[in-house]
């Protein structure tokens, strides 16, 4: 702003600032600001500098004293009743009309409350039953983590009795049976969860989990071919990396088992032929 080449010209063309150019201290102040613009903060209390800002920016800039003087005069005029206004305190001189009382602002009308939907007795009972079932599930989970499987089994069974629309209680009980080695019971619970799932609109991930758990039990029973079918069915419900890995593992396990059985069959045939030969030679001990 102060480095502009026409600063001096603008100040000289303005009647109010032109007189400042005859004052050595003002000229020195302006030169200092031009050399070091950051020093302008040292001169802001000088009303001449505020006037310079107004001229250079093309606006009317008043000092604090000027503003206080102007606006104080206007306030005094208003309080003295000038212009037919009201007097301070709500009373006027004998020549002025009394001030009208202030009107209270109207309060916004409260929005009407929407009526709460009616809940049937059957819905209330189901809600209470579901909450109790969830509490049983939480207790079952805590017992399962502590490997207190009998206790967990009881809690999950109770949850199933309270709420037959959530198959997670069934799959959790199946997990307990698996840990306890009750593989047949585990498979039964998994089948129950898969069967009930669509009718209660269960998440497809839950159904896939039940199938994977069934496949785990079948694999542990040695039913590798059945486990492969179950894992594949689970993947059609939800393609899960863990289930896919289990499928690959059991397929490899079945392949290795068949190769081993083939090798054992060859060895058995070879030993049988040897035995027959010894028998023909009447070498009974060797046979």
């Amino acid at each position: 702003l102060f480095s502009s080449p026409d600063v001096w010209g603008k100040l000289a063309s303005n009647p109010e600032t032109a007189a400042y150019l005859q004052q050595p201290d003002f000229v020195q102040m302006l030169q200092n600001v031009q050399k070091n613009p950051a020093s302008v903060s040292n001169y802001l209390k000088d009303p001449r500098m505020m006037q310079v800002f107004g001229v250079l920016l093309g606006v009317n800039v008043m000092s604090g004293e000027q503003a206080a003087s102007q606006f104080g005069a206007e306030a005094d005029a208003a309080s003295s009743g000038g212009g037919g206004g009201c007097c301070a305190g709500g009373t006027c001189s004998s020549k002025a009309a009394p001030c009208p009382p202030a009107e209270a602002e109207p309060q916004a009308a409260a929005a009407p409350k929407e009526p709460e939907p009616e809940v049937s007795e059957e819905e209330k009972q189901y809600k209470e039953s579901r909450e109790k079932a969830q509490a049983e599930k939480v207790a079952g989970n805590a017992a399962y983590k502590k490997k207190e499987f009998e206790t967990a089994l009881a809690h999950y069974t109770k949850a199933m009795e309270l709420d037959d629309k959530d198959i997670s209680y069934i799959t959790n009980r199946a997990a307990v049976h698996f840990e306890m080695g009750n593989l047949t019971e585990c498979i039964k619970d998994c089948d129950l969860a898969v069967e009930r799932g669509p009718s209660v609109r269960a998440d497809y991930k839950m159904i896939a989990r039940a199938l994977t758990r069934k496949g785990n039990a079948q694999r542990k029973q040695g039913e590798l071919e059945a486990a492969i079918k179950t894992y594949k069915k689970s993947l059609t419900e939800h393609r899960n990396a863990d289930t896919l890995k289990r499928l690959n593992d059991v397929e490899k396990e079945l392949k290795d088992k068949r190769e081993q059985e083939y090798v054992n069959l060859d060895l058995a045939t070879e030993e049988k032929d040897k035995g027959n030969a010894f028998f023909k030679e009447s070498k009974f001990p060797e046979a």
Side-chain angles (χ1 to χ4, degrees):
L1 181 65
F2 292 94
S3 61
S4 177
D6 59 347
V7 169
W8 297 98
K10 286 183 178 181
L11 297 179
S13 61
N14 184 278
E16 296 183 13
T17 57
Y20 298 159
L21 300 179
Q22 306 300 322
Q23 302 172 7
D25 63 327
F26 174 82
V27 174
Q28 184 63 46
M29 177 175 63
L30 195 58
Q31 289 175 343
N32 292 342
V33 173
Q34 285 184 316
K35 292 178 182 179
N36 182 16
S39 66
V40 70
S41 58
N42 299 328
Y43 308 111
L44 291 180
K45 293 183 179 181
D46 192 320
R48 297 175 299 177
M49 182 57 71
M50 299 303 295
Q51 191 66 33
V52 168
F53 270 108
V55 171
L56 298 181
L57 295 173
V59 296
N60 182 22
V61 179
M62 292 185 294
S63 66
E65 294 179 357
Q66 289 173 327
S69 175
Q70 178 175 337
F71 291 111
E74 291 178 0
D76 292 339
S79 62
S80 63
C86 298
C87 302
T91 58
C92 301
S93 64
S94 59
K95 295 181 181 180
C99 294
E103 295 183 1
E105 295 183 1
Q107 295 182 353
K113 293 184 179 179
E114 295 183 1
E116 296 183 1
E118 294 184 2
V119 180
S120 66
E121 189 63 28
E122 183 179 353
E123 290 175 331
K124 288 181 181 179
Q125 291 179 357
Y126 173 68
K127 182 180 179 181
E128 292 176 0
S129 181
R130 184 176 59 185
E131 290 175 351
K132 291 179 181 179
Q134 287 292 328
E136 292 289 342
K137 179 181 178 180
V138 171
N141 292 346
Y144 181 84
K145 291 178 180 178
K146 296 178 182 178
K147 298 187 181 300
E148 298 173 356
F149 298 127
E150 290 290 349
T151 303
L153 202 66
H155 284 299
Y156 291 139
T157 301
K158 183 63 176 179
M160 290 169 58
E161 295 171 356
L162 291 167
D163 183 8
D164 60 357
K165 295 182 179 180
D166 190 339
I167 66 172
S168 68
Y169 311 138
I170 308 175
T171 58
N172 283 9
R173 192 174 74 171
V176 177
H177 280 309
F178 184 87
E179 293 295 333
M180 295 176 69
N182 303 332
L183 301 180
T184 301
E185 295 301 320
C186 173
I187 292 173
K188 286 181 180 180
D189 274 348
C190 291
D191 286 338
L192 177 61
V194 173
E195 179 185 354
R196 187 176 297 178
S199 63
V200 297
R201 297 182 180 180
D203 188 345
Y204 58 88
K205 293 181 181 179
M206 291 293 300
I207 297 175
R209 184 182 302 170
L211 287 166
T212 298
R213 193 155 287 162
K214 177 182 177 180
N216 295 342
Q218 290 172 326
R219 181 183 180 183
K220 199 166 186 178
Q221 286 179 329
E223 301 292 337
L224 302 184
E225 292 183 3
I228 289 173
K229 291 180 181 179
T230 305
Y231 285 143
K232 287 181 177 179
K233 188 176 180 181
S234 175
L235 290 170
T236 61
E237 293 288 342
H238 174 59
R239 194 161 185 83
N240 179 275
D242 176 69
T243 303
L244 184 59
K245 182 180 183 304
R246 292 176 184 274
L247 173 61
N248 293 334
D249 290 345
V250 76
E251 285 178 336
K252 183 178 183 302
E253 184 179 344
L254 180 60
K255 180 182 177 181
D256 293 343
K257 180 182 178 183
R258 286 175 175 172
E259 290 177 352
Q260 186 63 36
E261 289 175 349
Y262 182 77
V263 171
N264 292 340
L265 180 61
D266 288 346
L267 291 175
T269 302
E270 183 180 346
E271 291 297 324
K272 178 183 177 182
D273 293 341
K274 289 180 180 179
N276 291 338
F278 284 131
F279 184 83
K280 290 178 181 180
E281 294 173 4
S282 298
K283 296 180 179 180
F284 300 116
E286 289 84 349

